[in-house]
C-alpha cells in the first residue's frame, strides 16, 4: 500500500497546492486577454462560486476515498483542500461585493435579507469562517479533538447550504445544480450509512472505541 | 482583474464614425425606397439589409458591440448557457420559412419570409434591451412594426391578444430535446401593445440579416418589456380573445407575469430589478421604469396596478 514518507508527502502537497491555484490563474489569464465573454463580472463571480463548490465536495470525498483505498495519509491533505474551499469562497464573496455590487451596502443588505439564494449563501460563508479559523494544530489542541470534530461536522450543513445557494440562483435549468446535489447526497448518505453501521456494531457487542467512522485529527508535526 | 486594457483594434481599422453615421444616405442614394421593397432581400445571416428608414424611436446611446450582441444570448432552444446559442444555432435553417398569421382575423395568411421582408421598408431601431436577469444591451435592430403585419390580416373586433409561437424543431434545435420549458416557446401581448409603434418585428441587427442565435429569421422586440418577451424564430402569430399562457408563465407563474414590463419597483422574487449591468460597463446603472420608454407606453397601463399585473 502506498504510504508516502514525509518528503514524498511534502511533494504531493506542493503539487496539489499549485493545482488548486489553476482555476484562479485561468481567470486571471482570461481577464488579461479579455476572454471572459460579454459579461466578465458574472463569469468571474460564477466561476469562483463553482470552484468553491468543487473544493467543498472534494474535501468531503477525502474520507470516503481514504476508507475505500486504505490510504490513511489522504487525511493529511484534507486541510489544504478545505482551506482552498475557503480561499475561493472569500474571492467569490469579494467578487460579489466589489465587482458586482461595488460596495453598495444598501443593495447588499437588501439582497441578504430579501433574496433566499443570497441569504443561504451568506449563511454558508459565515459557517465556514470558524472552520477556517480552527484549521490549525494549535486550535485542535485548544479545542480538544472531540469538540473540534463536532465543530467541523458543520461542513455537512455548509455543503447543503452551498448547493441550495446554487440551485436557487438558476433561472430554470437545474441540471448542473442537480449534479452537485446528487454528488453531495451520495457523500452525505455515506456518512449516515457509516453511522448506522457503527451503531449496529455497538449493538452487536463488538465494541471498538476507535471504530472506522471516528476520524482522529492529525496533530503530528510536519 | 485588469479592467482597462488597450483595445486590440488599432483606431485606423475602425470605420470612421461620420462615415458610419452617413451610411443610410449612401444606401438611399444607391437603392431608394422603391428598389428596397421590389427586390428580394438577402437571406443569410450576416448579409447586409437595405435599411431605408431612420427611426425617431432610436436611442442615441452607444450600441453594445456586435461581438457581444451575438455571443451572449438566451435562446433555450439551443441550450441554456449564454454561449450555447452562438455555438449551436448554425443548424437552424431559415429558408424556406413561413409564418402563419391566424385566429381571430378576417384574412388569415401564411407568408413566406421573403414576402414578409418586402411588406414594408426596413427601419433601423436602436433600442435598449433589459434582460430579466439584470443585464442590458443597446441593440441596433432592423425591422418593421408588428402593426404592419397585423394590419395585413385585419384583426376581428373580438381579438384582444396576440400569441406568438417560436419554432420547435428537435432536429435542428438541440435544446428542444430537454424539457426545460414547455415547447414550443410562446409569448403574448395585448392587442394594443402589439399595435404600438415601438413593437418591432426584427429581421436584422447592425444593418445585417439577423444571426441565427438572435432569433432568425423573424423575432419580436418589445423594448419596454423584459427581453424574454421577444420570442425568436417565429412561425405563428395568432389573434385570440383570452390572455395567452406564455412559456415563462407556465414554467414559473410566481416569478413571471404576462405583462413583464421592465419595472425597478417590482423585484423578481429571487433577485432585484432595481439596477442592471449594461454589457461592457463596470458599474451597474439604475433600471428605468418601462426601460425608459414610459413616455411612449405609460398610457397603455393607466389605472393598472403594476405590482399585481407584473
Amino acid at each position: 500500500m502506498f504510504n508516502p514518507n514525509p518528503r514524498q508527502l511534502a511533494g504531493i502537497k506542493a503539487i496539489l497546492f499549485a493545482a488548486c491555484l489553476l482555476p484562479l490563474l485561468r481567470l486571471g489569464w482570461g481577464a488579461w486577454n479579455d476572454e471572459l465573454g460579454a459579461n466578465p463580472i458574472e463569469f468571474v463571480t460564477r466561476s469562483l462560486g463553482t470552484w468553491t463548490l468543487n473544493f467543498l465536495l472534494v474535501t468531503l470525498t477525502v474520507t470516503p476515498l481514504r476508507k475505500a483505498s486504505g490510504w490513511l495519509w489522504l487525511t493529511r491533505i484534507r486541510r489544504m483542500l478545505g482551506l482552498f474551499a475557503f480561499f475561493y469562497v472569500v474571492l467569490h464573496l469579494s467578487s460579489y461585493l466589489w465587482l458586482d455590487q461595488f460596495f453598495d451596502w444598501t443593495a447588499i443588505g437588501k439582497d441578504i435579507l430579501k433574496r433566499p439564494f443570497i441569504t443561504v449563501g451568506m449563511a454558508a460563508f459565515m459557517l465556514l469562517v470558524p472552520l477556517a479559523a480552527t484549521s490549525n494544530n494549535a486550535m485542535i489542541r485548544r479545542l480538544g479533538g472531540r469538540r473540534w470534530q463536532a465543530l467541523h461536522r458543520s461542513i455537512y450543513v455548509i455543503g447543503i447550504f452551498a448547493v441550495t445557494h446554487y440551485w436557487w440562483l438558476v433561472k430554470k435549468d437545474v441540471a448542473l445544480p442537480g449534479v452537485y446535489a446528487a454528488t453531495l447526497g451520495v457523500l452525505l448518505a455515506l456518512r449516515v450509512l457509516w453511522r448506522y453501521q457503527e451503531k449496529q456494531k455497538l449493538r452487536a457487542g463488538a465494541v471498538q472505541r476507535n471504530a472506522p467512522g471516528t476520524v482522529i485529527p492529525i496533530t503530528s508535526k510536519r | 482583474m485588469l479592467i482597462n486594457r488597450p483595445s486590440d483594434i488599432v483606431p485606423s481599422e475602425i470605420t470612421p464614425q461620420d462615415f458610419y453615421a452617413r451610411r443610410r444616405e449612401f444606401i438611399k442614394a444607391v437603392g431608394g425606397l422603391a428598389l428596397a421593397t421590389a427586390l428580394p432581400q438577402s437571406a443569410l445571416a450576416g448579409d447586409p439589409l437595405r435599411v431605408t428608414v431612420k427611426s425617431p424611436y432610436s436611442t442615441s446611446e452607444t450600441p453594445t458591440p456586435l461581438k457581444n450582441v451575438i455571443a451572449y444570448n438566451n435562446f433555450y432552444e439551443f441550450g441554456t448557457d449564454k454561449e450555447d446559442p452562438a455555438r449551436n444555432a448554425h443548424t437552424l435553417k431559415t429558408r424556406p420559412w413561413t409564418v402563419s398569421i391566424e385566429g381571430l382575423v378576417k384574412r388569415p395568411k401564411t407568408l413566406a419570409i421573403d414576402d414578409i421582408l418586402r411588406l414594408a421598408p426596413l427601419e433601423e431601431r436602436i433600442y435598449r434591451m433589459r434582460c430579466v436577469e439584470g443585464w442590458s444591451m443597446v441593440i441596433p435592430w432592423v425591422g418593421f412594426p408588428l402593426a404592419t403585419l397585423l394590419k395585413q390580416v385585419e384583426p376581428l373586433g373580438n381579438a384582444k391578444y396576440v400569441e406568438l409561437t417560436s419554432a420547435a424543431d428537435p432536429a435542428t434545435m438541440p435544446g428542444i430535446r430537454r424539457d426545460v420549458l414547455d415547447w414550443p416557446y410562446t409569448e403574448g401581448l395585448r392587442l394594443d401593445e402589439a399595435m404600438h409603434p415601438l413593437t418591432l418585428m426584427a429581421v436584422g441587427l447592425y444593418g445585417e440579416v439577423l444571426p441565427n442565435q438572435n432569433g432568425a429569421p423573424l423575432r419580436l422586440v418589445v423594448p419596454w418589456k423584459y427581453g424574454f418577451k421577444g420570442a425568436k424564430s417565429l412561425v405563428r402569430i395568432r389573434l385570440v380573445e383570452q390572455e395567452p399562457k406564455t412559456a415563462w408563465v407556465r414554467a414559473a407563474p410566481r416569478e413571471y407575469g404576462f405583462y413583464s414590463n421592465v419595472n425597478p419597483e417590482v423585484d423578481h422574487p429571487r433577485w432585484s430589478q432595481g439596477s442592471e449591468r449594461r454589457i461592457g460597463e463596470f458599474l451597474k446603472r439604475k433600471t428605468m421604469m418601462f426601460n425608459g420608454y414610459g413616455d411612449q407606453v405609460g398610457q397603455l397601463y393607466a389605472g393598472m396596478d403594476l405590482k399585481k399585473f407584473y
Side-chain angles (χ1 to χ4, degrees):
Chain A
M1 187 162 311
F2 178 60
N3 192 16
N5 62 39
R7 261 193 62 196
Q8 285 171 321
L9 190 64
I12 291 170
K13 280 185 172 179
I15 292 166
L16 191 66
F17 188 89
C20 291
L21 284 171
L22 286 178
L24 185 64
L25 282 177
R26 173 175 154 262
L27 281 180
W29 177 262
W32 183 257
N33 293 292
D34 195 13
E35 283 167 3
L36 299 182
N39 198 345
I41 294 175
E42 178 191 68
F43 187 93
V44 166
T45 310
R46 297 225 171 150
S47 168
L48 291 169
T50 305
W51 279 102
T52 304
L53 271 175
N54 292 343
F55 276 105
L56 276 178
L57 293 184
V58 168
T59 308
L60 283 170
T61 310
V62 169
T63 301
L65 211 59
R66 189 203 70 207
K67 287 184 185 231
S69 65
W71 290 358
L72 297 176
W73 60 272
L74 282 175
T75 304
R76 308 178 76 177
I77 60 167
R78 189 175 60 177
R79 176 186 293 169
M80 189 203 285
L81 293 169
L83 283 172
F84 263 108
F86 186 69
F87 173 70
Y88 278 98
V89 82
V90 167
L91 292 177
H92 174 60
L93 180 64
S94 311
S95 169
Y96 163 71
L97 296 176
W98 175 42
L99 300 178
D100 191 41
Q101 296 285 12
F102 204 69
F103 307 117
D104 180 348
W105 297 110
T106 326
I108 292 162
K110 267 194 214 156
D111 264 359
I112 295 172
L113 293 176
K114 272 184 78 175
R115 324 246 168 267
F117 88 93
I118 294 185
T119 316
V120 75
M122 205 55 91
F125 172 75
M126 301 291 227
L127 287 171
L128 202 55
V129 172
L131 304 202
T134 55
S135 284
N136 55 69
N137 294 342
M139 282 311 287
I140 294 171
R141 272 193 298 273
R142 261 179 74 179
L143 287 169
R146 244 166 213 288
R147 267 193 294 169
W148 182 90
Q149 202 185 7
L151 172 68
H152 278 247
R153 284 217 176 93
S154 63
I155 194 69
Y156 305 140
V157 179
I158 292 166
I160 293 169
F161 281 11
V163 170
T164 310
H165 170 64
Y166 185 23
W167 190 290
W168 282 349
L169 148 86
V170 169
K171 197 158 75 167
K172 191 68 183 39
D173 185 4
V174 290
L176 208 51
V179 171
Y180 279 94
T183 310
L184 180 70
V186 169
L187 291 171
L188 294 188
L190 280 172
R191 267 73 180 187
V192 175
L193 178 73
W194 295 336
R195 193 143 259 229
Y196 174 77
Q197 287 173 338
E198 225 175 295
K199 280 209 176 130
Q200 289 293 92
K201 256 189 215 161
L202 283 171
R203 206 167 290 161
V207 185
Q208 253 187 306
R209 222 46 213 123
N210 291 334
T214 323
V215 178
I216 303 162
I218 304 301
T219 50
S220 66
K221 51 195 173 303
R222 295 183 229 204
Chain B
M1 186 174 71
L2 191 61
I3 306 290
N4 251 332
R5 52 183 299 271
S7 163
D8 37 25
I9 304 172
V10 293
S12 59
E13 280 187 75
I14 301 169
T15 309
Q17 181 72 39
D18 63 329
F19 184 81
Y20 178 74
R22 279 187 283 110
R23 70 201 180 284
R24 285 189 214 86
E25 292 163 36
F26 172 79
I27 291 160
K28 262 184 204 165
V30 174
L33 209 141
L35 194 65
T37 50
L39 290 178
Q41 289 275 5
S42 186
L44 295 168
D47 283 350
L49 284 168
R50 273 179 297 275
V51 183
T52 54
V53 183
K54 192 174 182 170
S55 173
Y57 294 116
S58 285
T59 167
S60 56
E61 288 166 87
T62 313
T64 304
L66 176 66
K67 69 171 172 121
N68 291 339
V69 175
I70 63 174
Y72 192 73
N73 310 98
N74 278 322
F75 196 174
Y76 279 16
E77 284 83 339
F78 294 100
T80 53
D81 279 351
K82 298 276 188 307
E83 293 76 22
D84 285 343
R87 223 181 349 245
N88 300 331
H90 60 91
T91 51
L92 182 72
K93 296 263 176 297
T94 56
R95 292 294 186 287
W97 190 281
T98 57
V99 182
S100 82
I101 313 172
E102 54 186 58
L104 303 173
V105 297
K106 205 166 160 193
R107 316 167 188 279
K109 276 183 183 178
T110 298
L111 293 168
I113 186 67
D114 292 309
D115 297 327
I116 291 173
L117 287 170
R118 277 193 293 260
L119 270 182
L122 296 182
E123 301 178 33
E124 183 178 70
R125 299 267 185 110
I126 307 172
Y127 280 164
R128 289 178 289 276
M129 202 218 45
R130 168 64 155 80
C131 177
V132 73
E133 295 163 353
W135 52 268
S136 63
M137 293 186 182
V138 175
I139 304 174
W141 299 108
V142 176
F144 56 90
L146 173 59
T148 308
L149 203 53
L150 295 180
K151 280 171 194 158
Q152 293 279 316
V153 294
E154 299 175 43
L156 297 173
N158 55 345
K160 297 281 185 292
Y161 294 91
V162 180
E163 182 191 66
L164 302 104
T165 306
S166 300
D169 173 20
T172 57
M173 297 172 142
I176 296 285
R177 291 168 222 158
R178 295 184 47 221
D179 54 355
V180 183
L181 290 170
D182 187 5
W183 310 114
Y185 194 90
T186 55
E187 257 308 334
L189 296 169
R190 223 167 52 190
L191 188 56
D192 58 345
E193 297 176 323
M195 298 300 285
H196 193 280
L198 278 175
T199 305
L200 194 72
M201 281 282 106
V203 296
L205 55 82
Y206 268 100
E208 294 174 350
V209 170
L210 210 54
N212 287 357
Q213 63 266 36
N214 295 85
L218 183 75
R219 66 166 291 173
L220 177 69
V221 177
V222 196
W224 72 93
K225 292 176 181 282
Y226 292 118
F228 67 85
K229 292 297 285 183
K232 301 182 175 83
S233 304
L234 296 172
V235 292
R236 190 170 70 219
I237 298 172
R238 196 210 306 260
L239 285 100
V240 294
E241 194 166 0
Q242 304 294 327
E243 183 182 287
K245 278 260 175 277
T246 69
W248 279 104
V249 169
R250 272 178 282 153
R254 227 174 53 78
E255 303 190 356
Y256 305 97
F258 173 77
Y259 287 93
S260 295
N261 293 317
V262 175
N263 188 342
E265 307 288 314
V266 178
D267 282 346
H268 185 280
R270 289 185 286 150
W271 54 80
S272 165
Q273 296 294 26
S275 60
E276 66 199 53
R277 170 159 292 109
R278 179 69 53 83
I279 294 301
E281 290 180 357
F282 177 61
L283 292 178
K284 285 189 176 183
R285 43 168 80 211
K286 291 255 170 276
T287 289
M288 294 180 286
M289 187 66 204
F290 296 118
N291 203 21
Y293 296 96
D295 287 348
Q296 290 98 317
V297 301
Q299 82 284 354
L300 291 175
Y301 310 101
M304 273 175 72
D305 180 0
L306 295 177
K307 284 197 163 65
K308 195 173 159 216
F309 297 99
Y310 55 85

